[in-house]
Amino acid sequence: MTSTPSSTAPDATFHEWTPAWSPDRTDPALPPITLITDPHDHPAYTTTAITAHHPELGRITVHPTPLATAPAYLAHDLIRALGKHLPPPDIDPPWWTGNADESWRVAAAWTKALNISHYVICRAHRITGRHLEHLMALRELTRIRLTLVVSGPTPAALATILKAAAHHQINTLENARRHLNQGPSLAPASYSWWHSAPFPAPHDEPWYELPPRPRRPTGTPGDITTSSHRTPTRLPSTDSRPPTIALPPHPQPDTHSSHHETVARRIHTRIAHPVHAAAVAIRALTGYSTDQLPQLTIATPQHPRGDLPTDLPDWARLLQDAARIHTGLKAHIRQDLPAHLSGANKPFRLGSWDRNDVAHATEACHLVAARVRRARQRT
């Protein structure tokens, strides 16, 4: 569960949310866990669970990676079930993928931002005790409905959890189908990026040229230098490179741009971390560099001259919401202070490694700065 401060005094201590759970901290008001028991491992149960996967309706089916016991693995499985991909094996993995707490914060941020209301976990009898505890912590935080499909004997770790948490059991295929085909509690979400982009990017996929980089964010003294940790953009060779398309200015929320919709789908599919995804979206819409991002501000009543546009399209606003939720889980926002003092008006807290990851994520979406393209043309 989320740690809360003991007071709202200016010196109150705020803690990161961690995927920690204990039986004595279970909220009895949460929807009861549904346990679908399949002791004979009948394939129809798994098929029924998989066909219940409808992200646009807020229902996600997760098939955990077999024999994956590291604490971060189940969080990665949830993130993939949400339609996102971690970098392919030939790319150095971002730092957070090896950190269990951060991986679960990423999963929690997407769950809340995308209005996911129901997780269905297949093969739940194979999940480790630690994974189950992390999943219970996610349930406490996001208040999701949780369905566990147990295709074998109920393990001791799960039996212990069920003693502490309200639950009910389904033991026939007919009732399982009825439960999993229940209508959503929310209206369908019209997110165009549920339609995934290819992953990894095909070799002949066009590259988009980012808008010109603004000189510097409002109020930032001096010039912005390039991060020493960033590696050069890996454009294809000149002979094999498809044409580079200039991205038009970012559209108004009520207008349509096929180019920006393509970029939105690439970001949704290829960038698993919400802050990195939001950062790439802002780069695509404004041209800010990875080194400028940490200086950007959001307009507030105290400081109305923010750097970020206030008329972001819907797909970018959702990414900003996901990034904001993640930042809150990291306790980087002081809830007892105005935005300009608490840090809430600076959405991108990017260290050098994060900026490097954002640069790689930009490339994964086949986005390139004009100056990089010109440099490659000169070689």
Side-chain angles (χ1 to χ4, degrees):
M1 296 178 63
T2 308
S3 299
T4 55
S6 57
S7 71
T8 56
D11 59 349
T13 300
F14 289 79
H15 303 283
E16 294 182 333
W17 176 79
T18 58
W21 176 85
S22 60
D24 59 342
R25 300 181 68 182
T26 298
D27 185 349
L30 287 170
I33 297 171
T34 299
L35 192 70
I36 297 178
T37 57
D38 169 29
H40 302 295
D41 197 6
H42 196 294
Y45 282 87
T46 300
T47 301
T48 300
I50 291 174
T51 56
H53 178 79
H54 287 289
E56 70 280 3
L57 302 180
R59 186 168 60 229
I60 297 292
T61 298
V62 183
H63 200 292
T65 302
L67 304 178
T69 59
Y73 271 46
L74 184 59
H76 296 171
D77 288 330
L78 266 62
I79 293 166
R80 293 187 185 97
L82 290 167
K84 305 183 180 303
H85 293 80
L86 278 66
D90 60 329
I91 300 296
D92 290 338
W95 70 269
W96 64 269
T97 60
N99 184 291
D101 287 358
E102 182 66 4
S103 294
W104 282 96
R105 279 190 286 266
V106 167
W110 286 124
T111 298
K112 292 170 73 70
L114 296 173
N115 290 321
I116 303 305
S117 58
H118 188 181
Y119 274 114
V120 180
I121 311 296
C122 298
R123 318 294 295 174
H125 60 295
R126 296 286 184 88
I127 297 176
T128 67
R130 181 174 291 185
H131 281 165
L132 286 169
E133 291 178 4
H134 291 344
L135 193 59
M136 292 295 291
L138 180 72
R139 172 178 174 261
E140 295 282 339
L141 176 72
T142 61
R143 310 191 72 79
I144 54 169
R145 295 170 61 199
L146 181 60
T147 297
L148 303 177
V149 182
V150 179
S151 301
T154 301
L158 177 56
T160 299
I161 286 175
L162 294 176
K163 290 178 181 177
H167 65 281
H168 64 95
Q169 188 168 325
I170 292 175
N171 53 18
T172 69
L173 183 58
E174 180 183 356
N175 288 339
R177 285 173 174 157
R178 185 178 297 113
H179 168 75
L180 292 173
N181 290 324
Q182 288 178 357
S185 57
L186 300 173
S190 58
Y191 302 149
S192 63
W193 49 92
W194 285 126
H195 303 286
S196 298
F199 180 86
H203 177 71
D204 59 349
E205 181 179 81
W207 287 68
Y208 282 102
E209 185 177 300
L210 296 172
R213 182 176 67 170
R215 184 173 181 181
R216 58 179 176 260
T218 303
T220 303
D223 294 327
I224 303 296
T225 59
T226 301
S227 169
S228 60
H229 293 283
R230 194 186 322 151
T231 55
T233 300
R234 297 179 296 278
L235 288 173
S237 65
T238 304
D239 294 338
S240 61
R241 187 191 316 156
T244 302
I245 302 170
L247 269 175
H250 79 84
Q252 299 296 317
D254 58 349
T255 61
H256 174 79
S257 166
S258 61
H259 294 301
H260 283 281
E261 182 173 305
T262 298
V263 170
R265 292 181 178 183
R266 292 181 186 180
I267 292 173
H268 161 69
T269 303
R270 300 172 189 171
I271 308 178
H273 197 290
V275 176
H276 300 169
V280 173
I282 291 301
R283 294 200 70 194
L285 295 171
T286 66
Y288 281 118
S289 71
T290 55
D291 295 300
Q292 290 174 308
L293 290 172
Q295 304 299 328
L296 300 183
T297 59
I298 299 173
T300 65
Q302 294 86 358
H303 294 272
R305 291 187 61 192
D307 301 301
L308 295 178
T310 58
D311 56 350
L312 293 174
D314 288 345
W315 64 269
R317 282 210 306 271
L318 185 141
L319 295 176
Q320 293 298 300
D321 287 344
R324 176 184 52 79
I325 292 169
H326 178 271
T327 300
L329 296 176
K330 293 275 286 186
H332 281 167
I333 296 177
R334 286 285 298 274
Q335 304 293 339
D336 60 329
L337 295 175
H340 69 291
L341 296 177
S342 68
N345 68 327
K346 283 193 174 182
F348 300 117
R349 295 175 174 271
L350 302 173
S352 58
W353 291 112
D354 286 300
R355 281 177 277 172
N356 193 44
D357 290 340
V358 169
H360 282 302
T362 305
E363 298 166 15
C365 294
H366 277 193
L367 299 170
V368 61
R371 57 190 176 82
V372 175
R373 179 183 59 80
R374 289 194 296 268
R376 285 300 302 262
Q377 288 178 337
R378 290 194 295 268
T379 60

